[in-house]
Amino acid sequence: MVDRAMGDKLARLVRTHEFRLLLATLALATGLSIATDTFLTAQNLFDLLTANAFAGILAAGLLVVLVAGGIDISFTATASVAQYLAMTAANAWGLDWASVFAIGILAGAACGAINAALIEGLRIPGIIVTIATLNVFYGLLVFTTGGRYIYALPDWFAQGIWWFEYVDAEQIPYGLNLQILLLVLAFAATAWLLNRTGVGRRIRALGGNREAARRLGFPVFGLNLLAYGYMGMMAGIASLAQAQLAQSVAPTVLVGRELDVLAAVVLGGASLNGGIGSVTGTILGLTLLAIMQNGLVLAGVSSYWSPFFTGLVILLSVSTAALEHRRRPASVGAAA
């Protein structure tokens, strides 16, 4: 009986999207390790993790919006606004870590709340509203700042954090930096929200069947406010991780990176129709995409090809999910 139960669990695991994604990731990593001498090195993997923390934190926020049945394209403009406000205030008033993060999170959450209010209040599709607010937020930021960069960051912020430092034989340091710490906390918080709380289960139910959720008395506006506010909050956190890594604040460089984040979440199995998505899948989607882009660089492929392959990954992922969705009712019907 025990062997049979284990066999059933293994069979279900093999059929999951996450398992197939894991196999694809391992296959790609193995191929790059054989093809290049630089992929499977501690320095490359550490740099890969640090550089993709910004996209990963945003992906954690976008996952919640997609599971709730929404869509948000404005998060890079939200991050730009939150980043500029937080660092301007830090320079002007001599703030500390807690105050800077509080400003970034509140600014991001406010932008997310505006999206939710427009979508629910005016009953306009989320894709339309967030494309509009992407341009509104970004336009206001560039107009009020004149596109000026901030190069002078507070010393404590520029130094960041560097815990559990380790120096290898080539005197290259490794450790837990701000980007990796925030990335881990973002995914942990999202997993807790979606899997361990009643609000998370309501968000998933809302994305699965909005009308049924409404009839059951779920606070639809409140749940959307939470989902979009959470996305904005993650955008604020991601923006500070990016500012510390870049050692500057630039109002014009974050907008345009939406595709990488959306690709990672969709590749991880999140449904654009809502109700479906997991943190594990999003982590694997982000990992596969990061390895693919890193592999293109190591192989000497022009960076101009990166958007092409990212778009191709989205197309293949969505097509695969659509085919699986079509086959599911047919198989059920055949079984009946």
Side-chain angles (χ1 to χ4, degrees):
M1 290 293 289
V2 175
D3 292 341
R4 184 175 178 180
M6 287 293 293
D8 291 342
K9 286 184 179 179
L10 188 60
R12 284 197 296 272
L13 176 66
V14 170
R15 288 196 296 267
T16 61
H17 177 80
E18 287 82 357
F19 185 79
R20 293 195 294 270
L21 203 56
L22 177 62
L23 290 182
T25 304
L26 292 175
L28 181 60
T30 303
L32 287 173
S33 302
I34 296 171
T36 69
D37 296 330
T38 51
F39 174 74
L40 199 59
T41 61
Q43 184 177 7
N44 184 56
L45 296 179
F46 179 77
D47 292 343
L48 197 61
L49 186 58
T50 300
N52 284 279
F54 173 72
I57 297 168
L58 290 173
L62 184 59
L63 173 65
V64 175
V65 174
L66 290 183
V67 168
I71 182 75
D72 190 345
I73 305 297
S74 68
F75 50 81
T76 53
T78 298
S80 300
V81 171
Q83 185 185 64
Y84 211 94
L85 284 176
M87 297 318 302
T88 299
N91 282 333
W93 300 322
L95 303 179
D96 56 11
W97 281 108
S99 302
V100 165
F101 270 95
I103 292 174
I105 288 171
L106 288 174
C111 292
I114 291 172
N115 283 332
L118 291 173
I119 292 167
E120 284 300 312
L122 302 178
R123 304 295 176 89
I124 304 173
I127 184 75
I128 304 296
V129 169
T130 56
I131 287 176
T133 53
L134 164 70
N135 289 281
V136 170
F137 296 156
Y138 180 66
L140 284 174
L141 178 65
V142 174
F143 175 75
T144 54
T145 64
R148 288 186 297 275
Y149 283 34
I150 300 175
Y151 292 109
L153 303 180
D155 290 340
W156 52 267
F157 185 85
Q159 292 171 4
I161 66 166
W162 197 255
W163 295 341
F164 311 112
E165 184 175 358
Y166 165 76
V167 180
D168 66 8
E170 298 177 353
Q171 299 303 307
I172 300 174
Y174 305 98
L176 180 62
N177 59 23
L178 180 67
Q179 290 72 32
I180 297 174
L181 175 64
L182 293 177
L183 179 65
V184 172
L185 291 177
F187 278 126
T190 304
W192 174 79
L193 173 67
L194 290 178
N195 303 326
R196 300 291 182 184
T197 68
V199 172
R201 287 187 284 274
R202 289 187 174 195
I203 287 175
R204 201 176 287 280
L206 173 66
N209 192 325
R210 179 185 175 91
E211 187 55 33
R214 189 189 301 277
R215 290 181 179 178
L216 286 171
F218 286 7
V220 174
F221 180 82
L223 291 173
N224 273 296
L225 192 65
L226 191 149
Y228 283 93
Y230 188 79
M231 172 76 259
M233 186 184 78
M234 287 295 168
I237 294 172
S239 73
L240 296 176
Q242 178 64 21
Q244 200 281 327
L245 181 65
Q247 296 288 294
S248 65
V249 173
T252 56
V253 300
L254 299 183
V255 172
R257 298 181 62 179
E258 303 84 14
L259 188 61
D260 290 345
V261 178
L262 182 62
V265 183
V266 172
L267 183 61
S271 171
L272 294 175
N273 295 318
I276 299 174
S278 70
V279 170
T280 303
T282 302
I283 293 173
L284 288 171
L286 177 72
T287 304
L288 180 58
L289 203 62
I291 291 176
M292 183 193 75
Q293 293 174 341
N294 184 239
L296 291 175
V297 173
L298 295 177
V301 177
S302 169
S303 60
Y304 292 117
W305 281 102
S306 183
F308 169 81
F309 284 106
T310 302
L312 191 63
V313 165
I314 293 180
L315 194 59
L316 288 174
S317 180
V318 172
S319 301
T320 303
L323 286 174
E324 289 180 352
H325 185 72
R326 286 181 186 175
R327 287 172 183 168
R328 199 171 300 152
S331 62
V332 171

